[in-house]
PDB file of all heavy atoms in Angstrom:
ATOM      1  N   SER A   1     -47.242  33.673  73.069  1.00 90.00           N
ATOM      2  CA  SER A   1     -48.574  34.221  72.857  1.00 90.00           C
ATOM      3  C   SER A   1     -48.951  35.424  73.761  1.00 90.00           C
ATOM      4  O   SER A   1     -49.768  36.094  73.436  1.00 90.00           O
ATOM      5  CB  SER A   1     -49.504  33.071  73.138  1.00 90.00           C
ATOM      6  OG  SER A   1     -49.499  32.656  74.538  1.00 90.00           O
ATOM      7  N   GLY A   2     -48.245  35.541  74.902  1.00 91.00           N
ATOM      8  CA  GLY A   2     -48.657  36.553  75.833  1.00 91.00           C
ATOM      9  C   GLY A   2     -49.733  36.090  76.805  1.00 91.00           C
ATOM     10  O   GLY A   2     -50.131  36.821  77.691  1.00 91.00           O
ATOM     11  N   LEU A   3     -50.214  34.865  76.632  1.00 92.00           N
ATOM     12  CA  LEU A   3     -51.231  34.299  77.474  1.00 92.00           C
ATOM     13  C   LEU A   3     -50.570  33.812  78.778  1.00 92.00           C
ATOM     14  O   LEU A   3     -49.402  33.456  78.786  1.00 92.00           O
ATOM     15  CB  LEU A   3     -51.957  33.170  76.835  1.00 92.00           C
ATOM     16  CG  LEU A   3     -52.702  33.484  75.554  1.00 92.00           C
ATOM     17  CD1 LEU A   3     -53.294  32.211  74.951  1.00 92.00           C
ATOM     18  CD2 LEU A   3     -53.781  34.497  75.811  1.00 92.00           C
ATOM     19  N   THR A   4     -51.311  33.789  79.858  1.00 94.00           N
ATOM     20  CA  THR A   4     -50.747  33.228  81.109  1.00 94.00           C
ATOM     21  C   THR A   4     -50.737  31.711  81.065  1.00 94.00           C
ATOM     22  O   THR A   4     -51.469  31.113  80.303  1.00 94.00           O
ATOM     23  CB  THR A   4     -51.619  33.703  82.358  1.00 94.00           C
ATOM     24  OG1 THR A   4     -52.927  33.156  82.204  1.00 94.00           O
ATOM     25  CG2 THR A   4     -51.667  35.233  82.392  1.00 94.00           C
ATOM     26  N   LYS A   5     -49.961  31.132  81.899  1.00 92.00           N
ATOM     27  CA  LYS A   5     -49.857  29.686  81.964  1.00 92.00           C
ATOM     28  C   LYS A   5     -51.245  29.133  82.414  1.00 92.00           C
ATOM     29  O   LYS A   5     -51.627  28.099  81.917  1.00 92.00           O
ATOM     30  CB  LYS A   5     -48.779  29.282  82.936  1.00 92.00           C
ATOM     31  CG  LYS A   5     -47.378  29.643  82.583  1.00 92.00           C
ATOM     32  CD  LYS A   5     -46.314  29.174  83.597  1.00 92.00           C
ATOM     33  CE  LYS A   5     -44.953  29.620  83.118  1.00 92.00           C
ATOM     34  NZ  LYS A   5     -43.889  29.291  84.129  1.00 92.00           N
ATOM     35  N   ARG A   6     -51.931  29.864  83.303  1.00 93.00           N
ATOM     36  CA  ARG A   6     -53.279  29.442  83.805  1.00 93.00           C
ATOM     37  C   ARG A   6     -54.231  29.389  82.611  1.00 93.00           C
ATOM     38  O   ARG A   6     -54.998  28.512  82.551  1.00 93.00           O
ATOM     39  CB  ARG A   6     -53.686  30.451  84.782  1.00 93.00           C
ATOM     40  CG  ARG A   6     -55.113  30.056  85.367  1.00 93.00           C
ATOM     41  CD  ARG A   6     -55.445  30.898  86.601  1.00 93.00           C
ATOM     42  NE  ARG A   6     -54.639  30.668  87.741  1.00 93.00           N
ATOM     43  CZ  ARG A   6     -54.811  31.199  88.863  1.00 93.00           C
ATOM     44  NH1 ARG A   6     -55.785  32.115  89.110  1.00 93.00           N
ATOM     45  NH2 ARG A   6     -53.968  30.960  89.863  1.00 93.00           N
ATOM     46  N   THR A   7     -54.155  30.383  81.710  1.00 93.00           N
ATOM     47  CA  THR A   7     -55.043  30.428  80.559  1.00 93.00           C
ATOM     48  C   THR A   7     -54.794  29.157  79.608  1.00 93.00           C
ATOM     49  O   THR A   7     -55.799  28.625  79.099  1.00 93.00           O
ATOM     50  CB  THR A   7     -54.915  31.722  79.743  1.00 93.00           C
ATOM     51  OG1 THR A   7     -55.212  32.808  80.604  1.00 93.00           O
ATOM     52  CG2 THR A   7     -55.816  31.755  78.517  1.00 93.00           C
ATOM     53  N   ILE A   8     -53.522  28.955  79.433  1.00 92.00           N
ATOM     54  CA  ILE A   8     -53.172  27.761  78.498  1.00 92.00           C
ATOM     55  C   ILE A   8     -53.670  26.483  79.151  1.00 92.00           C
ATOM     56  O   ILE A   8     -54.210  25.684  78.480  1.00 92.00           O
ATOM     57  CB  ILE A   8     -51.696  27.721  78.340  1.00 92.00           C
ATOM     58  CG1 ILE A   8     -51.226  29.008  77.513  1.00 92.00           C
ATOM     59  CG2 ILE A   8     -51.263  26.475  77.579  1.00 92.00           C
ATOM     60  CD1 ILE A   8     -49.712  29.221  77.473  1.00 92.00           C
ATOM     61  N   GLN A   9     -53.562  26.416  80.461  1.00 91.00           N
ATOM     62  CA  GLN A   9     -54.077  25.182  81.236  1.00 91.00           C
ATOM     63  C   GLN A   9     -55.612  25.182  81.060  1.00 91.00           C
ATOM     64  O   GLN A   9     -56.143  24.109  80.844  1.00 91.00           O
ATOM     65  CB  GLN A   9     -53.680  25.324  82.702  1.00 91.00           C
ATOM     66  CG  GLN A   9     -54.322  24.223  83.533  1.00 91.00           C
ATOM     67  CD  GLN A   9     -53.773  22.831  83.244  1.00 91.00           C
ATOM     68  OE1 GLN A   9     -52.545  22.591  83.383  1.00 91.00           O
ATOM     69  NE2 GLN A   9     -54.568  21.858  82.797  1.00 91.00           N
ATOM     70  N   TYR A  10     -56.263  26.264  81.159  1.00 92.00           N
ATOM     71  CA  TYR A  10     -57.674  26.381  80.966  1.00 92.00           C
ATOM     72  C   TYR A  10     -58.102  25.941  79.598  1.00 92.00           C
ATOM     73  O   TYR A  10     -59.091  25.086  79.457  1.00 92.00           O
ATOM     74  CB  TYR A  10     -58.164  27.764  81.321  1.00 92.00           C
ATOM     75  CG  TYR A  10     -59.668  27.981  81.162  1.00 92.00           C
ATOM     76  CD1 TYR A  10     -60.528  27.362  81.989  1.00 92.00           C
ATOM     77  CD2 TYR A  10     -60.186  28.805  80.131  1.00 92.00           C
ATOM     78  CE1 TYR A  10     -61.932  27.538  81.886  1.00 92.00           C
ATOM     79  CE2 TYR A  10     -61.534  28.996  79.998  1.00 92.00           C
ATOM     80  CZ  TYR A  10     -62.401  28.413  80.921  1.00 92.00           C
ATOM     81  OH  TYR A  10     -63.766  28.515  80.750  1.00 92.00           O
ATOM     82  N   TYR A  11     -57.418  26.373  78.613  1.00 91.00           N
ATOM     83  CA  TYR A  11     -57.740  25.902  77.266  1.00 91.00           C
ATOM     84  C   TYR A  11     -57.647  24.428  77.086  1.00 91.00           C
ATOM     85  O   TYR A  11     -58.350  23.798  76.317  1.00 91.00           O
ATOM     86  CB  TYR A  11     -56.850  26.646  76.279  1.00 91.00           C
ATOM     87  CG  TYR A  11     -57.130  28.096  75.954  1.00 91.00           C
ATOM     88  CD1 TYR A  11     -56.256  28.918  75.205  1.00 91.00           C
ATOM     89  CD2 TYR A  11     -58.196  28.709  76.565  1.00 91.00           C
ATOM     90  CE1 TYR A  11     -56.596  30.231  74.923  1.00 91.00           C
ATOM     91  CE2 TYR A  11     -58.584  30.053  76.400  1.00 91.00           C
ATOM     92  CZ  TYR A  11     -57.692  30.789  75.517  1.00 91.00           C
ATOM     93  OH  TYR A  11     -57.955  32.160  75.278  1.00 91.00           O
ATOM     94  N   ASP A  12     -56.642  23.901  77.681  1.00 91.00           N
ATOM     95  CA  ASP A  12     -56.404  22.345  77.715  1.00 91.00           C
ATOM     96  C   ASP A  12     -57.602  21.746  78.388  1.00 91.00           C
ATOM     97  O   ASP A  12     -58.187  20.761  77.872  1.00 91.00           O
ATOM     98  CB  ASP A  12     -55.107  22.047  78.434  1.00 91.00           C
ATOM     99  CG  ASP A  12     -54.822  20.585  78.330  1.00 91.00           C
ATOM    100  OD1 ASP A  12     -55.619  19.742  77.781  1.00 91.00           O
ATOM    101  OD2 ASP A  12     -53.785  20.189  78.958  1.00 91.00           O
ATOM    102  N   ASN A  13     -57.988  22.240  79.584  1.00 90.00           N
ATOM    103  CA  ASN A  13     -59.079  21.621  80.381  1.00 90.00           C
ATOM    104  C   ASN A  13     -60.372  21.686  79.570  1.00 90.00           C
ATOM    105  O   ASN A  13     -61.242  20.826  79.712  1.00 90.00           O
ATOM    106  CB  ASN A  13     -59.262  22.294  81.672  1.00 90.00           C
ATOM    107  CG  ASN A  13     -58.052  22.087  82.602  1.00 90.00           C
ATOM    108  OD1 ASN A  13     -57.294  21.112  82.436  1.00 90.00           O
ATOM    109  ND2 ASN A  13     -57.926  22.963  83.583  1.00 90.00           N
ATOM    110  N   GLU A  14     -60.533  22.795  78.831  1.00 88.00           N
ATOM    111  CA  GLU A  14     -61.807  22.968  78.024  1.00 88.00           C
ATOM    112  C   GLU A  14     -61.827  22.197  76.704  1.00 88.00           C
ATOM    113  O   GLU A  14     -62.780  22.236  76.023  1.00 88.00           O
ATOM    114  CB  GLU A  14     -62.092  24.403  77.799  1.00 88.00           C
ATOM    115  CG  GLU A  14     -62.370  25.270  79.082  1.00 88.00           C
ATOM    116  CD  GLU A  14     -63.660  24.827  79.707  1.00 88.00           C
ATOM    117  OE1 GLU A  14     -64.687  24.709  79.007  1.00 88.00           O
ATOM    118  OE2 GLU A  14     -63.673  24.577  80.951  1.00 88.00           O
ATOM    119  N   GLY A  15     -60.680  21.588  76.371  1.00 88.00           N
ATOM    120  CA  GLY A  15     -60.549  20.850  75.157  1.00 88.00           C
ATOM    121  C   GLY A  15     -60.446  21.699  73.847  1.00 88.00           C
ATOM    122  O   GLY A  15     -60.680  21.261  72.769  1.00 88.00           O
ATOM    123  N   VAL A  16     -60.028  22.937  74.045  1.00 89.00           N
ATOM    124  CA  VAL A  16     -59.811  23.884  72.966  1.00 89.00           C
ATOM    125  C   VAL A  16     -58.433  23.719  72.430  1.00 89.00           C
ATOM    126  O   VAL A  16     -58.228  23.842  71.205  1.00 89.00           O
ATOM    127  CB  VAL A  16     -60.148  25.359  73.372  1.00 89.00           C
ATOM    128  CG1 VAL A  16     -59.932  26.336  72.246  1.00 89.00           C
ATOM    129  CG2 VAL A  16     -61.574  25.447  73.925  1.00 89.00           C
ATOM    130  N   LEU A  17     -57.486  23.664  73.234  1.00 90.00           N
ATOM    131  CA  LEU A  17     -56.071  23.617  72.793  1.00 90.00           C
ATOM    132  C   LEU A  17     -55.433  22.448  73.576  1.00 90.00           C
ATOM    133  O   LEU A  17     -54.898  22.615  74.728  1.00 90.00           O
ATOM    134  CB  LEU A  17     -55.310  24.848  73.110  1.00 90.00           C
ATOM    135  CG  LEU A  17     -53.854  24.863  72.565  1.00 90.00           C
ATOM    136  CD1 LEU A  17     -53.754  24.764  71.048  1.00 90.00           C
ATOM    137  CD2 LEU A  17     -53.130  26.037  73.130  1.00 90.00           C
ATOM    138  N   LYS A  18     -55.436  21.251  73.014  1.00 90.00           N
ATOM    139  CA  LYS A  18     -54.839  20.101  73.701  1.00 90.00           C
ATOM    140  C   LYS A  18     -53.354  19.984  73.286  1.00 90.00           C
ATOM    141  O   LYS A  18     -52.952  20.361  72.143  1.00 90.00           O
ATOM    142  CB  LYS A  18     -55.556  18.848  73.226  1.00 90.00           C
ATOM    143  CG  LYS A  18     -57.004  18.794  73.499  1.00 90.00           C
ATOM    144  CD  LYS A  18     -57.372  18.891  74.962  1.00 90.00           C
ATOM    145  CE  LYS A  18     -56.931  17.634  75.752  1.00 90.00           C
ATOM    146  NZ  LYS A  18     -57.348  17.737  77.128  1.00 90.00           N
ATOM    147  N   PRO A  19     -52.551  19.629  74.194  1.00 92.00           N
ATOM    148  CA  PRO A  19     -51.067  19.415  73.917  1.00 92.00           C
ATOM    149  C   PRO A  19     -50.848  18.284  72.982  1.00 92.00           C
ATOM    150  O   PRO A  19     -51.727  17.394  72.799  1.00 92.00           O
ATOM    151  CB  PRO A  19     -50.422  19.144  75.253  1.00 92.00           C
ATOM    152  CG  PRO A  19     -51.560  18.569  76.087  1.00 92.00           C
ATOM    153  CD  PRO A  19     -52.840  19.288  75.606  1.00 92.00           C
ATOM    154  N   ALA A  20     -49.700  18.283  72.262  1.00 91.00           N
ATOM    155  CA  ALA A  20     -49.450  17.234  71.315  1.00 91.00           C
ATOM    156  C   ALA A  20     -49.163  15.945  72.047  1.00 91.00           C
ATOM    157  O   ALA A  20     -49.324  14.790  71.548  1.00 91.00           O
ATOM    158  CB  ALA A  20     -48.236  17.648  70.433  1.00 91.00           C
ATOM    159  N   GLY A  21     -48.651  16.055  73.277  1.00 92.00           N
ATOM    160  CA  GLY A  21     -48.268  14.912  74.047  1.00 92.00           C
ATOM    161  C   GLY A  21     -47.621  15.260  75.366  1.00 92.00           C
ATOM    162  O   GLY A  21     -47.610  16.379  75.765  1.00 92.00           O
ATOM    163  N   ARG A  22     -46.991  14.283  75.926  1.00 91.00           N
ATOM    164  CA  ARG A  22     -46.209  14.468  77.148  1.00 91.00           C
ATOM    165  C   ARG A  22     -44.844  13.892  76.953  1.00 91.00           C
ATOM    166  O   ARG A  22     -44.637  12.958  76.309  1.00 91.00           O
ATOM    167  CB  ARG A  22     -46.874  13.886  78.395  1.00 91.00           C
ATOM    168  CG  ARG A  22     -48.200  14.693  78.801  1.00 91.00           C
ATOM    169  CD  ARG A  22     -48.822  14.072  80.057  1.00 91.00           C
ATOM    170  NE  ARG A  22     -49.966  14.892  80.384  1.00 91.00           N
ATOM    171  CZ  ARG A  22     -50.019  15.884  81.208  1.00 91.00           C
ATOM    172  NH1 ARG A  22     -48.860  16.326  81.779  1.00 91.00           N
ATOM    173  NH2 ARG A  22     -51.141  16.488  81.499  1.00 91.00           N
ATOM    174  N   ASP A  23     -43.819  14.540  77.587  1.00 90.00           N
ATOM    175  CA  ASP A  23     -42.431  14.097  77.420  1.00 90.00           C
ATOM    176  C   ASP A  23     -42.154  13.056  78.515  1.00 90.00           C
ATOM    177  O   ASP A  23     -43.039  12.547  79.266  1.00 90.00           O
ATOM    178  CB  ASP A  23     -41.478  15.223  77.501  1.00 90.00           C
ATOM    179  CG  ASP A  23     -41.384  15.880  78.821  1.00 90.00           C
ATOM    180  OD1 ASP A  23     -41.946  15.445  79.793  1.00 90.00           O
ATOM    181  OD2 ASP A  23     -40.703  16.993  78.864  1.00 90.00           O
ATOM    182  N   GLU A  24     -40.856  12.577  78.533  1.00 90.00           N
ATOM    183  CA  GLU A  24     -40.479  11.554  79.476  1.00 90.00           C
ATOM    184  C   GLU A  24     -40.635  11.937  80.959  1.00 90.00           C
ATOM    185  O   GLU A  24     -40.712  11.120  81.860  1.00 90.00           O
ATOM    186  CB  GLU A  24     -39.017  11.161  79.223  1.00 90.00           C
ATOM    187  CG  GLU A  24     -37.963  12.392  79.290  1.00 90.00           C
ATOM    188  CD  GLU A  24     -37.945  13.172  78.022  1.00 90.00           C
ATOM    189  OE1 GLU A  24     -38.728  12.891  77.048  1.00 90.00           O
ATOM    190  OE2 GLU A  24     -37.153  14.098  77.984  1.00 90.00           O
ATOM    191  N   ASN A  25     -40.782  13.276  81.202  1.00 90.00           N
ATOM    192  CA  ASN A  25     -41.004  13.768  82.574  1.00 90.00           C
ATOM    193  C   ASN A  25     -42.478  14.086  82.824  1.00 90.00           C
ATOM    194  O   ASN A  25     -42.813  14.777  83.708  1.00 90.00           O
ATOM    195  CB  ASN A  25     -40.168  15.006  82.819  1.00 90.00           C
ATOM    196  CG  ASN A  25     -38.648  14.781  82.741  1.00 90.00           C
ATOM    197  OD1 ASN A  25     -38.246  13.690  83.354  1.00 90.00           O
ATOM    198  ND2 ASN A  25     -37.896  15.504  82.122  1.00 90.00           N
ATOM    199  N   ASN A  26     -43.357  13.682  81.866  1.00 91.00           N
ATOM    200  CA  ASN A  26     -44.711  13.867  81.966  1.00 91.00           C
ATOM    201  C   ASN A  26     -45.125  15.326  81.805  1.00 91.00           C
ATOM    202  O   ASN A  26     -46.188  15.746  82.286  1.00 91.00           O
ATOM    203  CB  ASN A  26     -45.260  13.279  83.278  1.00 91.00           C
ATOM    204  CG  ASN A  26     -46.823  12.959  83.145  1.00 91.00           C
ATOM    205  OD1 ASN A  26     -47.312  12.571  82.083  1.00 91.00           O
ATOM    206  ND2 ASN A  26     -47.504  13.143  84.213  1.00 91.00           N
ATOM    207  N   ARG A  27     -44.278  16.114  81.199  1.00 91.00           N
ATOM    208  CA  ARG A  27     -44.655  17.510  81.020  1.00 91.00           C
ATOM    209  C   ARG A  27     -45.345  17.644  79.607  1.00 91.00           C
ATOM    210  O   ARG A  27     -44.933  17.021  78.674  1.00 91.00           O
ATOM    211  CB  ARG A  27     -43.374  18.356  80.945  1.00 91.00           C
ATOM    212  CG  ARG A  27     -42.757  18.520  82.284  1.00 91.00           C
ATOM    213  CD  ARG A  27     -41.779  19.656  82.266  1.00 91.00           C
ATOM    214  NE  ARG A  27     -40.744  19.487  81.251  1.00 91.00           N
ATOM    215  CZ  ARG A  27     -39.956  20.455  80.832  1.00 91.00           C
ATOM    216  NH1 ARG A  27     -40.095  21.732  81.266  1.00 91.00           N
ATOM    217  NH2 ARG A  27     -39.096  20.229  79.869  1.00 91.00           N
ATOM    218  N   ARG A  28     -46.371  18.404  79.613  1.00 91.00           N
ATOM    219  CA  ARG A  28     -47.119  18.661  78.362  1.00 91.00           C
ATOM    220  C   ARG A  28     -46.257  19.476  77.371  1.00 91.00           C
ATOM    221  O   ARG A  28     -45.576  20.335  77.793  1.00 91.00           O
ATOM    222  CB  ARG A  28     -48.398  19.501  78.609  1.00 91.00           C
ATOM    223  CG  ARG A  28     -49.493  18.646  79.320  1.00 91.00           C
ATOM    224  CD  ARG A  28     -50.573  19.637  79.756  1.00 91.00           C
ATOM    225  NE  ARG A  28     -50.078  20.596  80.737  1.00 91.00           N
ATOM    226  CZ  ARG A  28     -50.670  21.786  80.985  1.00 91.00           C
ATOM    227  NH1 ARG A  28     -51.801  22.123  80.318  1.00 91.00           N
ATOM    228  NH2 ARG A  28     -50.228  22.599  81.922  1.00 91.00           N
ATOM    229  N   PHE A  29     -46.292  18.978  76.098  1.00 93.00           N
ATOM    230  CA  PHE A  29     -45.601  19.852  75.075  1.00 93.00           C
ATOM    231  C   PHE A  29     -46.510  20.032  73.846  1.00 93.00           C
ATOM    232  O   PHE A  29     -47.478  19.303  73.643  1.00 93.00           O
ATOM    233  CB  PHE A  29     -44.275  19.125  74.691  1.00 93.00           C
ATOM    234  CG  PHE A  29     -44.433  17.850  73.929  1.00 93.00           C
ATOM    235  CD1 PHE A  29     -44.549  17.861  72.534  1.00 93.00           C
ATOM    236  CD2 PHE A  29     -44.358  16.638  74.609  1.00 93.00           C
ATOM    237  CE1 PHE A  29     -44.747  16.655  71.923  1.00 93.00           C
ATOM    238  CE2 PHE A  29     -44.449  15.386  73.916  1.00 93.00           C
ATOM    239  CZ  PHE A  29     -44.667  15.417  72.546  1.00 93.00           C
ATOM    240  N   TYR A  30     -46.104  21.040  73.105  1.00 92.00           N
ATOM    241  CA  TYR A  30     -46.910  21.460  71.921  1.00 92.00           C
ATOM    242  C   TYR A  30     -45.946  21.487  70.759  1.00 92.00           C
ATOM    243  O   TYR A  30     -44.694  21.536  70.889  1.00 92.00           O
ATOM    244  CB  TYR A  30     -47.531  22.822  72.129  1.00 92.00           C
ATOM    245  CG  TYR A  30     -48.440  22.861  73.327  1.00 92.00           C
ATOM    246  CD1 TYR A  30     -47.943  23.039  74.630  1.00 92.00           C
ATOM    247  CD2 TYR A  30     -49.843  22.741  73.242  1.00 92.00           C
ATOM    248  CE1 TYR A  30     -48.794  23.089  75.731  1.00 92.00           C
ATOM    249  CE2 TYR A  30     -50.646  22.798  74.281  1.00 92.00           C
ATOM    250  CZ  TYR A  30     -50.150  22.988  75.540  1.00 92.00           C
ATOM    251  OH  TYR A  30     -50.943  22.978  76.697  1.00 92.00           O
ATOM    252  N   THR A  31     -46.509  21.482  69.569  1.00 91.00           N
ATOM    253  CA  THR A  31     -45.718  21.595  68.314  1.00 91.00           C
ATOM    254  C   THR A  31     -46.179  22.760  67.549  1.00 91.00           C
ATOM    255  O   THR A  31     -47.102  23.483  67.909  1.00 91.00           O
ATOM    256  CB  THR A  31     -45.871  20.271  67.504  1.00 91.00           C
ATOM    257  OG1 THR A  31     -47.248  20.167  67.060  1.00 91.00           O
ATOM    258  CG2 THR A  31     -45.554  19.050  68.301  1.00 91.00           C
ATOM    259  N   ASP A  32     -45.574  22.912  66.311  1.00 88.00           N
ATOM    260  CA  ASP A  32     -46.012  23.990  65.439  1.00 88.00           C
ATOM    261  C   ASP A  32     -47.473  23.958  65.102  1.00 88.00           C
ATOM    262  O   ASP A  32     -48.173  24.953  64.911  1.00 88.00           O
ATOM    263  CB  ASP A  32     -45.207  24.049  64.249  1.00 88.00           C
ATOM    264  CG  ASP A  32     -43.782  24.461  64.500  1.00 88.00           C
ATOM    265  OD1 ASP A  32     -43.574  25.327  65.401  1.00 88.00           O
ATOM    266  OD2 ASP A  32     -42.766  24.062  63.778  1.00 88.00           O
ATOM    267  N   LYS A  33     -48.037  22.731  65.030  1.00 86.00           N
ATOM    268  CA  LYS A  33     -49.441  22.604  64.698  1.00 86.00           C
ATOM    269  C   LYS A  33     -50.324  23.219  65.783  1.00 86.00           C
ATOM    270  O   LYS A  33     -51.268  23.992  65.504  1.00 86.00           O
ATOM    271  CB  LYS A  33     -49.807  21.103  64.569  1.00 86.00           C
ATOM    272  CG  LYS A  33     -51.322  20.872  64.295  1.00 86.00           C
ATOM    273  CD  LYS A  33     -51.591  19.395  64.288  1.00 86.00           C
ATOM    274  CE  LYS A  33     -53.087  19.134  64.111  1.00 86.00           C
ATOM    275  NZ  LYS A  33     -53.422  17.698  64.065  1.00 86.00           N
ATOM    276  N   GLU A  34     -49.991  22.974  67.059  1.00 89.00           N
ATOM    277  CA  GLU A  34     -50.762  23.628  68.220  1.00 89.00           C
ATOM    278  C   GLU A  34     -50.564  25.072  68.236  1.00 89.00           C
ATOM    279  O   GLU A  34     -51.523  25.813  68.589  1.00 89.00           O
ATOM    280  CB  GLU A  34     -50.356  22.894  69.485  1.00 89.00           C
ATOM    281  CG  GLU A  34     -50.906  21.518  69.772  1.00 89.00           C
ATOM    282  CD  GLU A  34     -50.187  20.462  68.883  1.00 89.00           C
ATOM    283  OE1 GLU A  34     -48.903  20.547  68.782  1.00 89.00           O
ATOM    284  OE2 GLU A  34     -50.894  19.671  68.283  1.00 89.00           O
ATOM    285  N   LEU A  35     -49.386  25.605  67.870  1.00 88.00           N
ATOM    286  CA  LEU A  35     -49.096  26.993  67.792  1.00 88.00           C
ATOM    287  C   LEU A  35     -50.030  27.614  66.767  1.00 88.00           C
ATOM    288  O   LEU A  35     -50.587  28.725  66.956  1.00 88.00           O
ATOM    289  CB  LEU A  35     -47.667  27.271  67.538  1.00 88.00           C
ATOM    290  CG  LEU A  35     -46.664  27.328  68.613  1.00 88.00           C
ATOM    291  CD1 LEU A  35     -45.235  27.639  68.127  1.00 88.00           C
ATOM    292  CD2 LEU A  35     -47.088  28.364  69.665  1.00 88.00           C
ATOM    293  N   SER A  36     -50.192  27.030  65.642  1.00 85.00           N
ATOM    294  CA  SER A  36     -51.062  27.489  64.592  1.00 85.00           C
ATOM    295  C   SER A  36     -52.505  27.514  65.069  1.00 85.00           C
ATOM    296  O   SER A  36     -53.255  28.553  64.846  1.00 85.00           O
ATOM    297  CB  SER A  36     -50.981  26.649  63.366  1.00 85.00           C
ATOM    298  OG  SER A  36     -51.863  27.026  62.339  1.00 85.00           O
TER     299      SER A  36
END
């Protein structure tokens, strides 16, 4: 996207772009739906 990691985190915090879930290492991940 060209967005900074901080911006993506901000979108998550604001409830605008939530991750699809978290993996076994508790890392946030997204799918094609979130990309859209």
Side-chain angles (χ1 to χ4, degrees):
S1 66
L3 300 175
T4 65
K5 295 178 181 178
R6 179 174 293 184
T7 298
I8 296 168
Q9 174 68 60
Y10 179 65
Y11 286 176
D12 183 2
N13 294 340
E14 292 296 310
V16 178
L17 180 69
K18 302 298 291 184
R22 291 183 177 270
D23 66 10
E24 57 278 3
N25 296 316
N26 202 35
R27 291 195 303 165
R28 289 171 296 159
F29 68 84
Y30 303 81
T31 66
D32 289 329
K33 177 182 177 181
E34 285 71 46
L35 274 181
S36 177

